[in-house]
Amino acid sequence: MKEIVIASGNKGKIKEAGEILNEFKIISIKELGIEIDIEEDQETFEGNAIKKAEEIAKQLNGRMCIADDSGIEIEYLNGFPGVHTKRWFKGSDRERNMAVIEKLEGVERENRKAKFITAIAISDGNKTICEKGIIKGYIAKEAKGENGFGFDEIFELEDGRTLAELSQTEKNEISARKVALEAIKSQL
Protein backbone atom coordinates (compact mmCIF):
# COMPACT_ATOMS: atom_id res chain seq x y z
CA MET A 1 0.00 0.00 0.00
CA LYS A 2 1.40 3.40 -1.01
CA GLU A 3 1.96 5.85 1.81
CA ILE A 4 1.01 9.49 2.15
CA VAL A 5 2.40 11.57 5.00
CA ILE A 6 -0.18 13.96 6.40
CA ALA A 7 1.12 17.24 7.79
CA SER A 8 -1.12 17.14 10.83
CA GLY A 9 -1.32 15.69 14.28
CA ASN A 10 -5.08 16.32 14.39
CA LYS A 11 -6.69 12.91 14.92
CA GLY A 12 -9.94 14.02 13.28
CA LYS A 13 -8.20 15.14 10.10
CA ILE A 14 -6.06 12.00 9.96
CA LYS A 15 -9.10 9.73 10.40
CA GLU A 16 -11.12 11.61 7.77
CA ALA A 17 -8.23 11.50 5.26
CA GLY A 18 -7.74 7.79 5.91
CA GLU A 19 -11.41 7.02 5.32
CA ILE A 20 -11.52 8.92 2.02
CA LEU A 21 -8.07 8.06 0.66
CA ASN A 22 -8.53 4.43 1.69
CA GLU A 23 -6.23 3.01 -1.01
CA PHE A 24 -3.31 4.71 0.74
CA LYS A 25 -1.73 4.30 4.14
CA ILE A 26 -1.98 7.69 5.84
CA ILE A 27 0.89 8.38 8.22
CA SER A 28 0.95 11.39 10.50
CA ILE A 29 4.08 13.49 10.40
CA LYS A 30 4.08 13.14 14.19
CA GLU A 31 4.17 9.31 13.85
CA LEU A 32 7.43 9.77 11.98
CA GLY A 33 8.75 11.82 14.90
CA ILE A 34 9.23 14.86 12.70
CA GLU A 35 8.47 18.38 13.89
CA ILE A 36 8.18 20.78 10.96
CA ASP A 37 6.41 24.08 11.49
CA ILE A 38 5.61 25.94 8.29
CA GLU A 39 4.48 29.54 8.66
CA GLU A 40 1.06 30.07 7.09
CA ASP A 41 1.75 33.47 5.55
CA GLN A 42 0.01 33.17 2.19
CA GLU A 43 -3.01 35.23 1.08
CA THR A 44 -5.26 32.22 0.38
CA PHE A 45 -6.12 28.84 1.88
CA GLU A 46 -4.73 27.24 -1.30
CA GLY A 47 -1.45 29.14 -0.99
CA ASN A 48 -0.93 27.97 2.59
CA ALA A 49 -1.80 24.33 1.77
CA ILE A 50 0.56 24.28 -1.24
CA LYS A 51 3.40 25.89 0.70
CA LYS A 52 3.11 23.35 3.54
CA ALA A 53 2.80 20.29 1.27
CA GLU A 54 5.73 21.27 -0.96
CA GLU A 55 8.10 22.31 1.84
CA ILE A 56 7.42 19.19 3.90
CA ALA A 57 7.64 16.83 0.88
CA LYS A 58 11.07 18.29 0.08
CA GLN A 59 12.20 17.73 3.66
CA LEU A 60 10.89 14.14 3.45
CA ASN A 61 12.99 13.52 0.31
CA GLY A 62 10.08 13.45 -2.08
CA ARG A 63 7.64 11.30 -0.12
CA MET A 64 4.06 12.28 -0.91
CA CYS A 65 2.80 14.80 1.62
CA ILE A 66 -0.71 16.08 2.07
CA ALA A 67 -1.37 19.36 3.86
CA ASP A 68 -4.38 21.55 4.28
CA ASP A 69 -5.47 24.96 5.33
CA SER A 70 -9.03 25.56 6.29
CA GLY A 71 -11.22 28.02 8.03
CA ILE A 72 -14.42 29.91 8.00
CA GLU A 73 -15.47 33.11 6.32
CA ILE A 74 -18.37 34.91 7.95
CA GLU A 75 -20.34 37.09 5.57
CA TYR A 76 -21.54 39.56 8.25
CA LEU A 77 -17.90 40.12 9.30
CA ASN A 78 -16.68 40.69 5.70
CA GLY A 79 -15.09 37.25 5.44
CA PHE A 80 -13.45 37.31 8.87
CA PRO A 81 -11.51 35.35 10.07
CA GLY A 82 -10.65 33.82 6.65
CA VAL A 83 -7.03 32.68 6.25
CA HIS A 84 -6.37 33.93 9.78
CA THR A 85 -8.87 31.45 11.23
CA LYS A 86 -6.29 29.55 13.29
CA ARG A 87 -4.21 32.57 14.21
CA TRP A 88 -6.52 35.40 15.21
CA PHE A 89 -7.29 33.97 18.64
CA LYS A 90 -4.96 32.32 21.15
CA GLY A 91 -6.75 29.58 23.08
CA SER A 92 -8.61 26.32 22.66
CA ASP A 93 -11.08 25.54 19.86
CA ARG A 94 -13.94 26.00 22.34
CA GLU A 95 -12.64 29.40 23.50
CA ARG A 96 -12.17 30.53 19.90
CA ASN A 97 -15.67 29.32 18.99
CA MET A 98 -17.15 31.25 21.91
CA ALA A 99 -15.29 34.37 20.74
CA VAL A 100 -16.83 33.98 17.26
CA ILE A 101 -20.31 33.61 18.77
CA GLU A 102 -19.67 36.71 20.88
CA LYS A 103 -18.74 38.73 17.77
CA LEU A 104 -22.17 37.86 16.33
CA GLU A 105 -24.19 38.53 19.47
CA GLY A 106 -27.61 39.93 18.57
CA VAL A 107 -27.22 39.10 14.86
CA GLU A 108 -30.14 37.11 13.43
CA ARG A 109 -29.61 33.75 11.70
CA GLU A 110 -30.12 35.05 8.15
CA ASN A 111 -27.16 37.40 8.69
CA ARG A 112 -24.89 34.71 10.22
CA LYS A 113 -24.06 33.10 6.86
CA ALA A 114 -20.67 31.43 6.71
CA LYS A 115 -18.54 29.29 4.42
CA PHE A 116 -16.35 26.48 5.68
CA ILE A 117 -13.43 26.27 3.26
CA THR A 118 -10.78 23.58 3.07
CA ALA A 119 -7.88 23.67 0.62
CA ILE A 120 -5.85 20.47 0.42
CA ALA A 121 -2.57 20.09 -1.43
CA ILE A 122 -0.59 16.95 -2.10
CA SER A 123 2.98 17.13 -3.27
CA ASP A 124 6.05 15.00 -3.78
CA GLY A 125 8.21 18.12 -3.89
CA ASN A 126 8.04 18.36 -7.69
CA LYS A 127 4.40 17.93 -8.66
CA THR A 128 1.61 19.45 -6.58
CA ILE A 129 -2.15 19.09 -6.81
CA CYS A 130 -4.41 21.44 -4.85
CA GLU A 131 -8.18 21.31 -4.55
CA LYS A 132 -10.70 23.27 -2.50
CA GLY A 133 -13.98 22.26 -0.93
CA ILE A 134 -16.63 24.63 0.39
CA ILE A 135 -19.77 24.06 2.40
CA LYS A 136 -22.21 26.81 3.23
CA GLY A 137 -24.09 27.31 6.45
CA TYR A 138 -24.47 29.61 9.42
CA ILE A 139 -22.69 30.36 12.66
CA ALA A 140 -24.84 28.88 15.43
CA LYS A 141 -25.88 30.99 18.42
CA GLU A 142 -24.40 28.36 20.74
CA ALA A 143 -22.01 25.41 20.54
CA LYS A 144 -23.85 22.14 19.91
CA GLY A 145 -22.71 18.56 19.42
CA GLU A 146 -19.95 16.27 20.59
CA ASN A 147 -18.53 14.96 17.30
CA GLY A 148 -15.89 16.65 15.24
CA PHE A 149 -13.25 19.28 15.91
CA GLY A 150 -12.41 22.89 15.16
CA PHE A 151 -15.48 24.89 14.22
CA ASP A 152 -17.77 21.85 13.86
CA GLU A 153 -19.71 22.69 17.04
CA ILE A 154 -20.70 26.16 15.78
CA PHE A 155 -21.01 25.59 12.01
CA GLU A 156 -24.72 25.09 11.45
CA LEU A 157 -26.30 23.54 8.37
CA GLU A 158 -29.60 24.53 6.75
CA ASP A 159 -31.43 21.91 8.86
CA GLY A 160 -30.25 23.56 12.12
CA ARG A 161 -27.75 20.85 13.10
CA THR A 162 -24.10 21.69 13.55
CA LEU A 163 -21.37 19.59 11.95
CA ALA A 164 -20.60 18.30 15.46
CA GLU A 165 -24.15 16.88 15.69
CA LEU A 166 -23.65 14.69 12.62
CA SER A 167 -22.34 11.16 12.69
CA GLN A 168 -18.88 10.72 11.14
CA THR A 169 -20.53 9.07 8.12
CA GLU A 170 -22.95 11.99 7.64
CA LYS A 171 -20.16 14.53 8.02
CA ASN A 172 -17.92 12.70 5.55
CA GLU A 173 -20.72 12.85 2.98
CA ILE A 174 -20.82 16.67 2.98
CA SER A 175 -17.59 18.00 4.45
CA ALA A 176 -15.44 20.53 2.61
CA ARG A 177 -12.48 18.24 3.36
CA LYS A 178 -14.28 15.37 1.59
CA VAL A 179 -14.97 17.50 -1.48
CA ALA A 180 -11.30 18.50 -1.71
CA LEU A 181 -9.98 14.98 -0.93
CA GLU A 182 -12.31 13.37 -3.49
CA ALA A 183 -11.09 15.83 -6.13
CA ILE A 184 -7.48 14.96 -5.28
CA LYS A 185 -8.22 11.22 -5.16
CA SER A 186 -9.58 11.36 -8.72
CA GLN A 187 -6.20 12.75 -9.89
CA LEU A 188 -3.89 10.35 -8.03
Side-chain angles (χ1 to χ4, degrees), residues 102-152:
E102 198 174 294
K103 282 185 173 293
L104 294 171
E105 193 171 326
V107 177
E108 290 305 314
R109 185 175 197 253
E110 63 270 10
N111 293 320
R112 299 171 80 95
K113 290 179 183 161
K115 289 182 202 165
F116 200 121
I117 301 165
T118 298
I120 298 179
I122 186 165
S123 180
D124 62 7
N126 294 312
K127 184 174 190 243
T128 304
I129 299 168
C130 186
E131 294 291 343
K132 183 166 76 170
I134 299 173
I135 56 172
K136 294 180 180 181
Y138 303 87
I139 299 300
K141 292 188 176 188
E142 62 184 7
K144 300 183 291 185
E146 299 300 320
N147 303 325
F149 55 93
F151 287 100
D152 290 354

Side-chain angles (χ1 to χ4, degrees), residues 1 10 20 23 27 29 36 46 67 81-82 86 96-97 110 113 120 126 133-134 150 158 161 181-182 184:
M1 188 178 263
N10 182 307
I20 294 167
E23 298 110 55
I27 302 169
I29 197 164
I36 302 172
E46 296 95 325
K86 293 178 187 141
R96 184 186 59 223
N97 291 346
E110 63 270 10
K113 290 179 183 161
I120 298 179
N126 294 312
I134 299 173
E158 243 351 288
R161 293 184 300 164
L181 283 169
E182 292 283 357
I184 284 173

Side-chain angles (χ1 to χ4, degrees), residues 51-68:
K51 180 181 179 186
K52 287 192 285 189
E54 289 178 347
E55 286 190 25
I56 293 169
K58 286 174 185 163
Q59 291 185 45
L60 295 174
N61 300 318
R63 285 175 83 177
M64 281 204 309
C65 178
I66 193 165
D68 79 318

